């Protein structure tokens, strides 16, 4: 069955959009028909990161308002990946929590596996919790980010308890370097998991090569280190048992 996954963070600057892009590309490369949805509103961030901003015509608002058929609003990003881009003008933007956006995501889920980039700081309500099968909470590995990730985790659990559908909650450590643990006051990755209160789905490294690609409006770099870790994360999301072993993951206790 198709899966619907929300990439979400409690604070800005956690690398949520970049992680969503690379994980969606990795999943599409692995054979999943993917729809990546940008709900962040008037930013066009994901289209730019995918090198597809000049190819977009319709967007999420057009699909949510019924201005065009859903398939016409999707941008082909190559292979099995489609993008539903954000709107360009803020006065036309539906809230990510709106019924209309949920209906679009539900409709996409009939044909595609869906990953949605949710704006930082959005507090999921029970309707949003019932829309997704999994929330991937993106957080940097420092005490402050993890503290707010823990709060977000509790809010999602509270919202999902009001629905008849259960959803998984996972932690994705983003913009990671081994030194961030010492700087951020966290001894190891085990402690990151304890603070956040969610099982770890993966670790996404800080990667200058990946950043250079997306910041220049080029498609994601298929050969960079970030893609390798995004590939492992995508496989775990779709149920494969990919070990988080120290040899593959920064030689740190996990």
């Amino acid at each position: 069955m198709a899966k619907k996954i929300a990439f979400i963070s409690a604070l800005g600057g956690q690398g949520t959009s970049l992680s969503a892009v690379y994980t969606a590309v990795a999943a599409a490369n692995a054979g999943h028909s993917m729809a990546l949805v940008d709900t962040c509103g008037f930013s066009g961030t994901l289209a730019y990161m995918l090198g597809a901003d000049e190819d977009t015509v319709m967007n999420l608002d057009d699909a949510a308002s019924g201005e065009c058929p859903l398939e016409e609003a999707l941008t082909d990003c190559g292979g099995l990946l489609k993008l539903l881009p954000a709107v360009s003008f803020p006065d036309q933007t539906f809230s990510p929590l709106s019924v209309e956006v949920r209906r679009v995501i539900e409709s996409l889920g009939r044909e595609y596996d869906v990953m949605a980039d949710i704006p930082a700081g959005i507090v999921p309500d029970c309707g949003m919790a019932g829309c997704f099968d999994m929330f991937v909470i993106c957080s940097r590995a420092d005490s402050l980010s993890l503290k707010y990730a823990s709060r977000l985790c509790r809010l999602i659990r509270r919202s999902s308890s009001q629905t008849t559908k259960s959803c998984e909650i996972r932690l994705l450590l983003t913009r990671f370097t081994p030194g961030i643990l010492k700087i951020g006051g966290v001894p190891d990755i085990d402690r990151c998991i304890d603070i956040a209160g969610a099982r770890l789905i993966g670790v996404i490294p800080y990667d200058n090569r990946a950043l250079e690609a997306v910041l220049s409006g080029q498609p994601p770099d298929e050969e960079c280190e970030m893609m390798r870790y995004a590939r492992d994360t995508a496989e775990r999301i779709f149920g494969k048992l990919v070990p988080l072993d120290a040899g593959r993951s920064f030689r740190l206790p996990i």
Side-chain angles (χ1 to χ4, degrees):
M1 295 181 64
K3 296 194 73 168
K4 299 185 290 295
I5 302 103
F7 279 70
I8 191 168
S9 60
L11 301 172
Q14 302 297 304
T16 306
S17 297
L18 189 61
S19 299
V21 164
Y22 269 80
T23 306
V25 170
N29 289 346
H32 297 275
S33 294
M34 296 300 306
L36 179 60
V37 183
D38 189 347
T39 73
C40 292
F42 73 91
S43 59
T45 303
L46 300 194
Y48 189 80
M49 286 182 171
L50 287 163
D53 56 319
E54 294 184 0
D55 300 324
T56 61
V57 179
M58 300 298 185
N59 54 52
L60 175 59
D61 270 34
D62 295 317
S65 64
E67 291 293 320
C68 72
L70 181 54
E71 280 294 328
E72 290 185 12
L74 296 174
T75 299
D76 188 350
C77 295
L80 296 175
L81 180 62
K82 307 282 188 180
L83 170 69
L84 185 54
V87 69
S88 300
F89 303 102
D91 59 339
Q92 299 177 1
T93 305
F94 284 97
S95 162
L97 300 177
S98 69
V99 173
E100 292 84 358
V101 170
R102 292 175 196 156
R103 286 175 180 163
V104 167
I105 291 171
E106 293 285 358
S107 296
L108 285 171
R110 299 188 187 107
E111 187 173 350
Y112 303 94
D113 290 301
V114 180
M115 291 184 181
D117 182 21
I118 309 297
I122 287 287
V123 177
D125 60 13
C126 58
M128 187 179 184
C131 181
F132 292 101
D133 303 299
M134 179 185 291
F135 283 86
V136 175
I137 298 178
C138 298
S139 175
R140 299 181 69 176
D142 63 77
S143 297
L144 179 62
S145 298
L146 291 164
K147 175 183 176 181
Y148 278 94
S150 174
R151 292 182 180 180
L152 181 58
C153 184
R154 291 196 299 270
L155 289 168
I156 295 171
R157 287 201 175 99
R158 185 183 307 163
S159 296
S160 63
S161 69
Q162 301 173 43
T163 72
T164 57
K165 177 183 175 181
S166 62
C167 67
E168 299 177 76
I169 304 172
R170 297 291 183 265
L171 172 67
L172 181 63
L173 294 176
T174 54
R175 302 183 66 180
F176 188 88
T177 63
I180 194 66
L181 294 171
K182 182 177 180 180
I183 296 170
V186 183
D188 53 37
I189 292 181
D190 281 330
R191 183 57 182 156
C192 293
I193 298 167
D194 292 340
I195 295 172
R199 290 172 57 192
L200 187 67
I201 195 74
V203 179
I204 301 293
Y206 187 92
D207 186 340
N208 280 328
R209 183 171 162 182
L211 287 171
E212 286 173 6
V214 298
L215 291 177
S216 61
Q218 300 298 316
D221 188 333
E222 301 276 352
E223 303 300 324
C224 70
E225 184 183 32
M226 182 179 288
M227 183 62 79
R228 178 166 68 90
Y229 286 93
R231 190 177 301 118
D232 287 351
T233 299
E235 290 185 351
R236 295 186 194 103
I237 286 173
F238 288 101
K240 289 191 177 181
L241 297 177
V242 180
L244 281 158
D245 74 82
R248 292 164 65 95
S249 300
F250 308 104
R251 304 183 185 279
L252 291 171
I254 293 178

